[in-house]
Amino acid sequence: MIDVLVGIITVDNATLAGFAVNQTGRVSATTSVLFNGSIHLTAKDSKTTLLAGDGTTVTGLASTRAGRVRIGAASRTAILPQLDESKVQAALAAGRLDPSALDAYSRGDADAEAFAPYMATGTILDAQPFKHSQIRIVGQDIRVESEALIRAPAGEVDFYAVDNPSHLNLYNPASNQDPFATARSAESSAARLQFAAGAKIDVAGLEAVEIPVARNVVRVTLRGDELKDSPINREGPLRGQNVWVDITRGSPLVANLADYAAGIGREIGERSAEGGAVRMRSQGEVIVPAGVSADVSGGYVAFTPGMTKRTLLTAYGSLVDMASASPEARYEGSATRFEAGYGRWGATEVFDGTENVFDPGYMEGKDAGSVDIVARRMVFDGTVVGRTSAGIPQIEASRTPVGALLKIGTPLDAGGGLVDNVLVQAVSISYRSDLPAGFGFGEVLPGELRESLRLPARLFGEAGANRLEIYGNEAVSIDRAVRIEPFGSVLIAGK
């Protein structure tokens, strides 16, 4: 048995494993752009030898029996962006940072955004692999008690309630018995993931992450790829010239800025601004009563005011800002680029008189995340929080952030053109399920709730889920209006 009572465990990566795991205190970890933080709470024992596809090559060991994981009342399980120790110590010495605030940050109770000035400053390019922080909880009976907080901004929180952990592809990639990847797997009468009212999972992205607006202004060399949408300029005076472009706002004249955007280094604060993922997996039941919330909201980056470079183009005696240059107009060159020829010596000198202008800055919203539930039976009366914010450049370009996804069930290939959607209950979108007041851990679900899943219509809307996917093995009905905001989606598959 592993017990975390009122104690504190703070590391980069934490793993607690035993047949019974009781997390009733605080477990916290940190994450950065180069090394993702992780917390694994795993209740399992016994073991078996894992074999490769040939049936003889030993690939490892795995546990065959899962136990109980208890996330205690008011406990804290959190992964937060890593702070720069030198910045923190300087702020403490200067009185700008209070030790109690620092403690609140590490346990997940403080607004992480307030600590952005102290976060580690390492950067990573878009082309480089980035691993999100991860909280993984594995057991047969997983209990998350009232006021427990599980937090990982932009992170991944995974629950697996199973009888035999060695069947999971997570531990045994060669397994053909994973109940969440294998059609018509047996339903467990003991596996359950259950929450108590007041529990909260928070993987919302960070808000108001400040970055100087000048970071987004890059020098672009106009060649064939950049001018592919402007044949009139492709072989004209602009070809080969360098111009300055804001990669977020873009320019109608420049067709491709992806490679330039990929060359910008991004710190952990910016990487932590998008909404994360909550995945609940149970071989038996998932029970989420009213008062439980999963926050997968997208955050936003605030590009702060400052001086930036601007290129002006010339066209028939007029000056045109690069930001609004049309691909259908022919330009004679850059008004801020001058060439001086020295014929006597056969030399040419180029002068770049790029104009510096004040930019008031703007906001860039990030996508919300997802709540994904796969189980044979479930009750879901909780709340999905999926707020997003869009900046003016995003609205003008019709590139608003993607809303939150609520996914129920999953389609598995059952062979012969058949599909097993895992969920065996009839589904209706109506009112809450009326789970009995005081329904406790380990109690048996009433017969009606075992046979039907009622999703409250309040789950959907402006601050909730804006994308819905339901996969069921029985009928799916919509008894109340489902409100989906613009750019949302609905996919329903039932039998």
Side-chain angles (χ1 to χ4, degrees), residues 150 195 357 390 413:
I150 299 173
F195 296 80
V357 297
D413 184 1

Side-chain angles (χ1 to χ4, degrees), residues 168-200:
L168 293 174
N169 293 139
L170 175 69
Y171 300 118
N172 180 12
S175 172
N176 59 3
Q177 297 176 286
D178 188 322
F180 313 118
T182 306
R184 297 171 178 165
S185 296
E187 179 180 354
S188 169
S189 61
R192 175 187 277 188
L193 165 62
Q194 183 172 351
F195 296 80
K200 181 177 182 179

